[in-house]
Amino acid sequence: KRAKDIISVIVPVYTVHNYLDKCLGSIASQTVTDLEVILVDDGSSDMSGMICDAWAKKDARFRVMHRQNNGVSSARNAALQAAKGDFIAFVDADDYINKDMFRLLLNALAEDADIAVCGFNTVEQGAVSQVLCDEKMCVNSAQAARLCIQKGEWGLVIWNKLFRRSVVFSGAEPVRFPEDIFIGEDALWLIEVCCRSQKAVYVPEACYYYIKRQNSAVYKSKREKLVESSASRYASAVRGYEILKNAGNSCAFLMFRRGVFSARDIACAAYCESNEKVYREWIKKFHSALSDYKKMVGKGKDILFLLKNDILYYAMQFHLPKKWVQKLLQFK
C-alpha cells in the first residue's frame, strides 16, 4: 500500500499493562486494515513494554519505540516524526475503540474534510455512558475550534478524532505537543491543528471508549497535584487563547475563560490550605485574568460566571471562613 492509504495510529504507553492488551486488540480488529500502529513505551515500570513487543511480533503493522520516561508529549512528538501515514489518529493505552471507528472517520474525511470527530463512551467502574451529538455536522475551522472548546460531545481532546496528515504537517514545521506542560497539552495541539484546517466533520456515533480510572495520570493530578495541574491548565488556556486570537478566531475568549477557572482553582485551594505564598501569587493572577475576561466579553455577557467569580475573589480577599469559600466553589 502507498503511504496515503495508511492511518498512523499513535499510542503512548506508560505502565498500563492491565489495560494494554484490550486497547491494542481493539486497534488490530479495525475494519480498516491499512494501519501502522506506533507504540511508544515511555519507560514503563511494569510489563507494558513486553506486551508491546509481543504485539509487534504477531502483527507486522505494529512497531515499538522504547525510550526513557520523558512524558506523553515527548512520546507523541517522537511518534509523529516516525509516522508515515496520510492520516493520524491517537489512542490512549488504557482506552479502547469500536471496530468501525477508523472506517467511519475515514469515510467522513472523504468529504474534503481535514478533521473527523466522533462521539465517545465514558466507562467508570463498569458503567458505560454515551457522549455524542445526534446529528452529523460539517463546519469550518473557526466553528470546529469553538465546538471543541464548548461542546463536550466534540471534546477538547485528540483521541476521538482522525486528522489529515497534510494539515498536521503544514507550515514551516509540524504541529508539536508542548513538552513543558503536562495537562492541557493535547488541547493546545488540537487548537493549532484546527487553525490550520479548512473543514471538520462530526460523525454521530460513539466509537471511542474512555476509561475513567482512579490511578490515571489525569485523576491523580487533580487529586494530588491540584496546584501543578491547574497551573498547567492555566498555561494551556492562555497559550490557546493567543493561538486563536492570532488566527483571528472570534472564540478565543472561550479559551481564556478556561484560564480564569484554573487561576481561580489554585487561589481557592491555596486559601483553604493556608498556603500564603501560593495564594498571594495566584489571587493576583485570578484577579488579572478575571478583569481581562470582563473586557473581552463586554457588558451584559456571561453575567453569572463573572458574578460567581467576583464573589469568590472578594470572599477570599475579605478573609471569609474557608468552608464558605469551598461552598461557593461548588455552587454551579
Side-chain angles (χ1 to χ4, degrees):
K1 290 284 181 181
R2 295 168 303 162
K4 71 176 184 178
D5 296 320
I6 297 172
I7 298 173
S8 295
V9 186
I10 293 172
V11 187
V13 177
Y14 179 67
T15 313
V16 285
H17 72 270
N18 288 332
Y19 302 88
L20 191 52
D21 261 325
K22 184 168 188 175
C23 171
L24 302 186
S26 72
I27 296 170
S29 303
Q30 287 295 295
T31 49
V32 169
T33 58
D34 297 313
L35 309 174
E36 65 160 3
V37 187
I38 305 172
L39 311 177
V40 187
D41 173 27
D42 194 36
S44 295
S45 58
D46 61 4
M47 295 171 59
S48 296
M50 294 170 62
I51 294 170
C52 290
D53 289 337
W55 274 95
K57 260 188 180 178
K58 68 181 177 183
D59 191 328
R61 298 174 300 172
F62 286 71
R63 55 192 171 113
V64 188
M65 300 168 67
H66 293 286
R67 34 186 278 136
Q68 289 186 326
N69 179 251
N70 204 25
V72 67
S73 286
S74 177
R76 288 180 180 139
N77 285 335
L80 275 174
Q81 288 300 119
K84 296 183 174 69
D86 205 40
F87 306 97
I88 308 287
F90 299 91
V91 179
D92 286 351
D94 49 355
D95 298 336
Y96 59 96
I97 57 178
N98 180 290
K99 63 183 175 64
D100 288 321
M101 177 170 159
F102 291 149
R103 178 180 63 80
L104 290 169
L105 293 179
L106 199 58
N107 287 345
L109 285 182
E111 301 177 27
D112 292 327
D114 299 312
I115 304 170
V117 186
C118 67
F120 57 94
N121 305 275
T122 59
V123 184
E124 188 167 15
Q125 296 180 333
V128 180
S129 54
Q130 285 192 338
V131 183
L132 76 162
C133 299
D134 57 7
E135 61 180 351
K136 186 175 178 180
M137 282 183 257
C138 298
V139 299
N140 64 28
S141 166
Q143 292 167 326
R146 176 184 282 271
L147 288 165
C148 286
I149 297 168
Q150 272 193 311
K151 288 191 77 70
E153 299 90 343
W154 280 64
L156 200 55
V157 293
I158 56 175
W159 35 254
N160 63 331
K161 299 172 177 72
L162 184 64
F163 304 92
R164 196 175 291 278
R165 178 194 177 91
S166 57
V167 174
V168 175
F169 283 80
S170 64
E173 57 180 44
V175 182
R176 289 177 58 82
F177 289 87
E179 297 184 18
D180 60 330
I181 59 175
F182 67 100
I183 299 285
E185 78 293 330
D186 52 345
L188 268 183
W189 188 91
L190 176 61
I191 284 170
E192 182 72 56
V193 173
C194 281
C195 288
R196 294 190 185 194
S197 70
Q198 297 295 316
K199 179 180 173 183
V201 177
Y202 185 90
V203 178
E205 301 278 349
C207 296
Y208 192 95
Y209 289 81
Y210 170 66
I211 310 298
K212 285 188 171 181
R213 56 187 182 94
Q214 292 196 349
N215 60 340
S216 71
V218 171
Y219 183 89
K220 285 171 79 174
S221 72
K222 285 180 181 176
R223 184 184 56 194
E224 299 168 9
K225 295 183 176 180
L226 176 65
V227 171
E228 293 93 331
S229 62
S230 295
S232 187
R233 283 192 178 89
Y234 175 80
S236 172
V238 173
R239 289 189 211 173
Y241 163 73
E242 291 294 338
I243 291 169
L244 289 166
K245 187 180 75 168
N246 292 337
N249 193 314
S250 61
C251 77
F253 74 96
L254 291 171
M255 200 65 191
F256 196 88
R257 189 182 195 266
R258 297 169 71 91
V260 176
F261 267 122
S262 298
R264 180 204 69 189
D265 286 351
I266 299 172
C268 288
Y271 180 83
C272 293
E273 293 166 9
S274 301
N275 187 335
E276 191 62 26
K277 183 181 177 184
V278 172
Y279 171 72
R280 281 200 308 270
E281 177 188 357
W282 282 93
I283 194 68
K284 288 178 185 174
K285 287 186 179 179
F286 174 37
H287 185 253
S288 175
L290 192 55
S291 299
D292 288 344
Y293 183 69
K294 285 177 184 175
K295 292 171 190 169
M296 285 177 201
V297 296
K299 285 188 177 179
K301 302 283 179 66
D302 213 356
I303 296 170
L304 287 177
F305 175 82
L306 293 170
L307 178 62
K308 176 187 171 180
N309 283 287
D310 271 337
I311 292 169
L312 265 168
Y313 172 75
Y314 287 111
M316 289 184 282
Q317 286 294 79
F318 287 111
H319 307 292
L320 294 188
K322 293 172 184 176
K323 63 181 180 182
W324 290 18
V325 171
Q326 288 169 333
K327 282 191 182 297
L328 284 169
L329 197 57
Q330 292 165 5
F331 179 71
K332 301 294 183 190

